Amino acid sequence: MTRGSKPALTPGIRYFPGHFDRDAQLALVEQVRHVVEDAPLFMPAMPRTGKEMSVRMTNCGELGWVTDKDRGYRYQSTHPVTGSPWPPIPGTLLELWRDVAEHPLPPQACLVNFYSDAAKMGLHQDSDESDLSAPVVSVSLGDECLFRIGGTKRTDPTRSFRLRSGDVLVLGGEGRLAFHGVDRIYPGTSTLLKHGGRINLTLRRVTGSP
Ligand code: SIN
Ligand code: FE2
């Protein structure tokens, strides 16, 4: 795929490889480090089964995406472990949203996913938002991953490609509810994070009005 291109399988998906250069990536990592100091990574669990996901997560913004056995997938304004409000979304990410989201309102939530070498994420839709007119804007930092994306039905054909540090992917329009997931991490493919692994940031709007 080329810059900003719309891959044939999934209209509404826009890909900006290398959107953030090395210095910008380092600055983002520093900002994420501050978020994690304030709002520590937690272990999300699947609804009903309580099975732990392999990623660890936290959030920044007025709302954060959380999941646990009893209450399932949802957005809430406080950290599930500390009970504190989430820290604000770093300015660089608000700017990114203004640049690529093509949406008049700012993001309300930024989910921070941390993938260790063996972590992955099954094929899913981002559908817990009550307003789907805004896109999901995703930033990759650190080790490369094999990303899979398909159509809006689970059974639609999928394509896979590597997301690299600094890449930005926008799931909007007809592609807003495209199924996607992370099949694997490629350990040692980036020197950005001192201890390796991959960080993915996803900016979302949750509600229609401010
Ligand atoms: C997600 O779908 O929440 C994360 C996608 C990614 O890690 O690239
Ligand atoms: Fe997702």
Side-chain angles (χ1 to χ4, degrees):
M1 264 185 279
T2 54
R3 197 171 185 84
S5 71
K6 297 178 181 179
L9 274 179
T10 324
I13 307 299
R14 288 178 290 138
Y15 178 42
F16 302 90
H19 180 87
F20 289 109
D21 66 17
R22 177 80 179 190
D23 285 349
Q25 293 171 39
L26 286 167
L28 267 173
V29 169
E30 193 55 24
Q31 289 163 5
V32 170
R33 221 169 54 77
H34 287 298
V35 166
V36 172
E37 268 168 23
D38 221 49
L41 292 167
F42 60 91
M43 304 262 251
M46 304 287 280
R48 293 181 299 278
T49 62
K51 187 178 183 305
E52 270 173 359
M53 295 169 69
S54 58
V55 297
R56 290 185 297 153
M57 47 180 70
T58 188
N59 291 269
C60 48
E62 63 190 81
L63 292 169
W65 189 87
V66 300
T67 173
D68 57 36
K69 182 173 189 286
D70 296 327
R71 296 176 61 202
Y73 304 146
R74 64 194 186 274
Y75 282 92
Q76 62 180 45
S77 58
T78 55
H79 190 287
V81 179
T82 68
S84 299
W86 305 105
I89 298 176
T92 314
L93 295 173
L94 297 175
E95 201 178 301
L96 170 68
W97 179 273
R98 283 195 296 271
D99 288 346
V100 303
E102 301 177 351
H103 191 82
L105 299 173
Q108 293 169 302
C110 175
L111 174 63
V112 178
N113 285 319
F114 178 78
Y115 296 77
S116 56
D117 291 358
K120 50 191 170 187
M121 188 175 289
L123 206 65
H124 67 277
Q125 289 173 299
D126 289 3
S127 58
D128 300 315
E129 301 73 27
S130 57
D131 177 27
L132 298 172
S133 68
V136 171
V137 174
S138 149
V139 181
S140 294
L141 295 168
D143 283 336
E144 295 173 11
C145 77
L146 186 61
F147 185 79
R148 177 184 295 276
I149 188 155
T152 53
K153 292 201 297 286
R154 185 174 284 280
T155 50
D156 285 343
T158 61
R159 62 177 291 171
S160 302
F161 59 99
R162 282 191 185 217
L163 282 179
R164 300 188 170 85
S165 196
D167 288 0
V168 168
L169 191 68
V170 179
L171 279 66
E174 286 175 73
R176 174 61 181 77
L177 288 176
F179 276 86
H180 60 280
V182 172
D183 289 349
R184 61 162 297 189
I185 300 296
Y186 295 100
T189 47
S190 166
T191 56
L192 189 74
L193 305 177
K194 218 184 301 167
H195 304 292
R198 171 175 183 263
I199 294 169
N200 175 257
L201 309 169
T202 43
L203 297 158
R204 299 112 186 263
R205 268 204 74 81
V206 180
T207 61
S209 41

